[in-house]
Amino acid sequence: MSRPPADPPAPLAPPAAEPTVGELSEAELLARVLPLLTRPAAQVLLGPGDDCAVVAAPDGRYVITTDTQVEDQDFRLAWPSGVRTTGYDTGVKCAAQNLADVAAMGAVPSALVVSLTLPPRTPVSWPEDFARGLAAGCEAMGAQRCAVVGGDLGSGRELSVTATVTGDLEGRDPVRRAGAGEGGVLALAGTTGRAAAGMALLEDPRYRAGQDEALDELAAAQLRPCAPVPAGPAAARAGATAMIDLSDGLLRDAGRVAAASGVVVDLDGAAVAALAGPLDPAARLLGADPRDWVLTGGEDHGLLAVFPQGAPLPGAFRAIGSCAPAPPGHDGTRPRVLLDGRAPHLALGHPVGEGWDHFEP
Amino acid sequence: MSRPPADPPAPLAPPAAEPTVGELSEAELLARVLPLLTRPAAQVLLGPGDDCAVVAAPDGRYVITTDTQVEDQDFRLAWPSGVRTTGYDTGVKCAAQNLADVAAMGAVPSALVVSLTLPPRTPVSWPEDFARGLAAGCEAMGAQRCAVVGGDLGSGRELSVTATVTGDLEGRDPVRRAGAGEGGVLALAGTTGRAAAGMALLEDPRYRAGQDEALDELAAAQLRPCAPVPAGPAAARAGATAMIDLSDGLLRDAGRVAAASGVVVDLDGAAVAALAGPLDPAARLLGADPRDWVLTGGEDHGLLAVFPQGAPLPGAFRAIGSCAPAPPGHDGTRPRVLLDGRAPHLALGHPVGEGWDHFEP
């Protein structure tokens, strides 16, 4: 698994010679984008081009999830720091957020359908780059078997992308959020907090791309997150009893596992500090507390799993905490997630337990 | 199968007492919308609430398709005629366009995931009504077994809805577009042209809702189309060799079947006239040619199927034409779809073969 390569940034407004999607018919646009996305795959019994695709479900079940990204909500074409993105970045991010949800069930991603809503002024290179990023993201994140089997192209005032991905459980039970038991080991594959540090950099004019490799890597974690997709099925094979995709922040997502499982999760302060270390350069530049990013930052799409006490962890995972039974009468008003046995406090005064909420102000 | 009931129109701006989605957290909004959508269903092995749902695929395959609707592209909150819509209308339309694609493969819809992008000013009643419309649409169109198993809620500047639906082939081969043979009977289940006539009415201030039942029914066909979903599997069981969902107009969609199958389709003028008849009241009011709506109007989501010559048609279908071998050397520059043996001409001077294209001006 390697991070998807960066694509050279493209100018926001198309050069005079570059066509916009408004100048092409839907069929012409499809003819440009589809070949960048599709390839033969054993599980695809009928690919794009008909009313539906047909996909094999070898064990008689499939997992399914959907995720939308909207311009200026989930990605930006231009950041306050001056960084500009292309469709390639959004394609990689689309792959990460969808594939991670499938991996978090212990399943192997099998098929994707994707719908693009494009303002007519969008340069044709944007959907083309998106397709390249989606394909490269699947490849780089270890979802080589996953194939794009269909989609929809439409016009709108706002750029937006919705993907639905399905996966194969390979005969195993799905790994749910409810399943963390007393004494279970909480373990992380991939990263958390890096995408949030990267967003803080990208949002800040003090960050200038190309001057500090450590900072650029954090920005890349926001722009092109890399989900540890094969770690999901590996966790399932290793006996993980609960798992979640870390999309909304460690406190919030660990809290979801704890609430669903009826336990309290205790994060290990040293592990949190180790995750915060690589964020120090960004924290110094911006005057932030890197631990806040680790505890509340979403969008890295790491996998948080619970393993039985004493079980060997698969290679991609490191232990970052443990599970204890919830005290009798735990009513949800006390924190479900502790840090070294105590309620965590955030430097920036967020309410404890906060992470990303699409509708919060 | 009965047309989904109309919902009383709601005012565009929320009354002072009604909350907007921007005032609710994502969890609060989900808690309101999810119960309106979900219900137990045998094929749903794990419903909403985890990273993915798990759905049974009894015959080891599933069909899958996705469709997006964007405000002012695919639906309107307020029409020039004064008609206002609610989320209920968009929910029914979402059901129709997605279910019809599954039915057109000869499959039975099994599971839906749906993503809503909502401007913060949207009244909470909109997603609630959307959920009610989606559920009622599935029920009314004969997709009672289809269950909503997941989704995504997010914020954006523009109201938009993307659904992905999967279906079960029940052990049959999928009915593709390619499969129309010489002498095959072209048959239609459901309607075509009515939604286009309805759109023309809704776009025109000369139409006033509530004054003429025939006109109101046409407007309803645009606002809340009713796809003949069970006719899809019925066609497959009756031996249909090709099928397509009529979403982009009869000429365009029949042309797709003809091109994929290497045949020429000859529409029966009397059958087209019969389909145009119920559009006469709208055509008279607006000074339009009802036959144009039949030939080029999309969005009714009827099913167009080809049956072997002499095969009894399932009850939902009526014959509207026949298939002949394409002349040798047919290179796509000559029409694939004829009307009584001749190239069709449209009253309004559209190029022949035109239907709906999302990016055409």
Side-chain angles (χ1 to χ4, degrees):
Chain A
M1 193 182 64
S2 56
R3 179 165 294 283
D7 207 44
L12 253 192
E18 193 186 352
T20 62
V21 301
E23 296 171 85
L24 267 61
S25 74
E26 193 175 346
E28 287 167 335
L29 189 57
L30 257 181
R32 283 179 175 237
V33 173
L34 215 52
L36 303 171
L37 279 172
T38 49
R39 54 180 172 178
Q43 76 279 17
V44 181
L45 307 176
L46 179 63
D50 218 300
D51 288 312
C52 289
V54 184
V55 183
D59 84 351
R61 302 166 300 171
Y62 53 94
V63 304
I64 186 166
T65 181
T66 193
D67 250 310
T68 295
Q69 292 182 78
V70 177
E71 180 186 346
D72 292 337
Q73 291 286 330
D74 305 283
F75 64 90
R76 291 191 193 283
L77 300 180
W79 291 83
S81 60
V83 171
R84 290 175 169 196
T85 70
T86 71
Y88 188 93
D89 301 288
T90 307
V92 172
K93 196 164 176 171
C94 174
Q97 66 180 196
N98 280 281
L99 298 175
D101 278 327
V102 167
M105 304 303 287
V108 176
S110 52
L112 262 164
V113 292
V114 61
S115 179
L116 299 181
T117 299
L118 305 168
R121 67 176 181 279
T122 310
V124 172
S125 62
W126 200 92
E128 289 175 336
D129 287 340
F130 173 85
R132 290 187 188 102
L134 181 57
C138 287
E139 188 79 22
M141 290 177 227
Q144 290 89 350
R145 275 179 48 199
C146 188
V148 175
V149 298
D152 191 18
L153 281 171
S155 185
R157 284 189 297 267
E158 185 168 67
L159 200 52
S160 127
V161 172
T162 299
T164 300
V165 60
T166 58
D168 177 18
L169 286 161
E170 297 184 321
R172 292 182 298 270
D173 283 339
V175 184
R176 301 181 52 178
R177 296 175 181 182
E182 179 180 347
V185 175
L186 189 76
L188 171 71
T191 64
T192 196
R194 296 170 63 88
M199 184 161 75
L201 288 168
L202 289 161
E203 294 279 17
D204 198 303
R206 284 173 288 180
Y207 167 61
R208 285 281 155 230
Q211 298 186 350
D212 181 324
E213 204 174 317
L215 298 181
D216 292 347
E217 275 187 20
L218 295 173
Q222 166 61 223
L223 297 175
R224 296 178 299 282
C226 186
V229 177
R237 285 190 291 266
T241 59
M243 191 150 47
I244 193 169
D245 157 41
L246 271 180
S247 54
D248 293 336
L250 183 54
L251 288 183
R252 180 171 285 207
D253 288 324
R256 286 172 171 151
V257 169
S261 304
V263 300
V264 168
V265 162
D266 192 9
L267 298 172
D268 174 32
V272 169
L275 288 165
L279 314 182
D280 273 340
R284 276 196 304 274
L285 178 69
L286 306 177
D289 185 331
R291 218 191 46 155
D292 281 12
W293 287 325
V294 170
L295 293 174
T296 65
E299 296 193 286
D300 289 65
H301 300 292
L303 295 175
L304 189 69
V306 177
F307 294 89
Q309 203 169 14
L313 300 186
F317 284 88
R318 76 200 97 167
I320 64 164
S322 59
C323 303
H330 194 297
D331 59 359
T333 60
R334 278 169 296 168
R336 285 272 185 195
V337 184
L338 308 175
L339 181 60
D340 284 338
R342 303 167 66 171
H345 290 276
L346 300 178
L348 297 179
H350 294 293
V352 167
E354 188 177 358
W356 176 249
D357 186 307
H358 279 94
F359 290 100
E360 273 176 11
Chain B
M1 194 182 62
S2 57
R3 177 164 296 282
D7 207 45
L12 254 191
E18 192 187 349
T20 62
V21 301
E23 296 169 87
L24 265 63
S25 74
E26 194 175 346
E28 288 167 335
L29 190 56
L30 258 181
R32 283 179 175 237
V33 172
L34 215 51
L36 303 171
L37 280 171
T38 50
R39 52 179 173 178
Q43 75 279 17
V44 181
L45 307 175
L46 178 63
D50 218 299
D51 289 312
C52 290
V54 185
V55 183
D59 84 351
R61 303 166 298 170
Y62 53 94
V63 304
I64 185 166
T65 183
T66 192
D67 251 309
T68 295
Q69 290 182 79
V70 177
E71 180 186 345
D72 291 338
Q73 290 286 332
D74 306 282
F75 64 91
R76 292 191 194 284
L77 299 181
W79 291 82
S81 59
V83 170
R84 291 176 169 193
T85 72
T86 70
Y88 188 92
D89 301 289
T90 307
V92 172
K93 196 164 177 173
C94 174
Q97 65 180 198
N98 281 281
L99 298 175
D101 278 327
V102 167
M105 305 302 288
V108 176
S110 53
L112 262 165
V113 292
V114 62
S115 178
L116 299 181
T117 299
L118 305 168
R121 67 174 182 281
T122 310
V124 172
S125 62
W126 200 93
E128 289 176 337
D129 287 340
F130 173 85
R132 290 187 189 103
L134 182 56
C138 287
E139 188 79 22
M141 290 177 228
Q144 290 89 350
R145 275 178 46 198
C146 188
V148 176
V149 298
D152 190 19
L153 280 172
S155 185
R157 285 189 297 267
E158 185 167 68
L159 199 52
S160 121
V161 172
T162 299
T164 300
V165 61
T166 58
D168 177 18
L169 285 162
E170 298 184 323
R172 292 181 299 270
D173 284 338
V175 185
R176 302 181 53 178
R177 296 176 181 182
E182 181 181 345
V185 175
L186 190 76
L188 172 71
T191 64
T192 196
R194 296 170 63 89
M199 183 162 74
L201 289 168
L202 289 161
E203 294 280 16
D204 198 302
R206 284 174 289 182
Y207 168 60
R208 285 282 155 229
Q211 299 187 350
D212 181 326
E213 203 174 317
L215 298 180
D216 292 346
E217 275 187 19
L218 294 173
Q222 166 61 223
L223 299 175
R224 297 178 299 282
C226 185
V229 178
R237 284 190 291 267
T241 59
M243 190 151 45
I244 192 169
D245 156 42
L246 272 180
S247 54
D248 294 336
L250 183 55
L251 288 183
R252 179 170 285 207
D253 288 324
R256 287 173 171 151
V257 169
S261 304
V263 299
V264 168
V265 162
D266 192 10
L267 298 172
D268 174 32
V272 169
L275 287 165
L279 315 182
D280 274 339
R284 275 196 304 274
L285 178 69
L286 305 177
D289 184 332
R291 221 192 45 157
D292 281 11
W293 288 324
V294 171
L295 293 174
T296 65
E299 298 192 285
D300 287 67
H301 300 291
L303 295 174
L304 189 69
V306 177
F307 294 89
Q309 204 170 14
L313 301 185
F317 285 89
R318 75 199 98 168
I320 64 163
S322 59
C323 302
H330 194 296
D331 59 359
T333 60
R334 278 169 296 167
R336 285 273 186 193
V337 184
L338 308 175
L339 182 59
D340 283 340
R342 304 167 66 171
H345 291 276
L346 300 178
L348 297 178
H350 294 292
V352 167
E354 189 177 358
W356 176 248
D357 186 305
H358 280 94
F359 290 101
E360 274 176 12

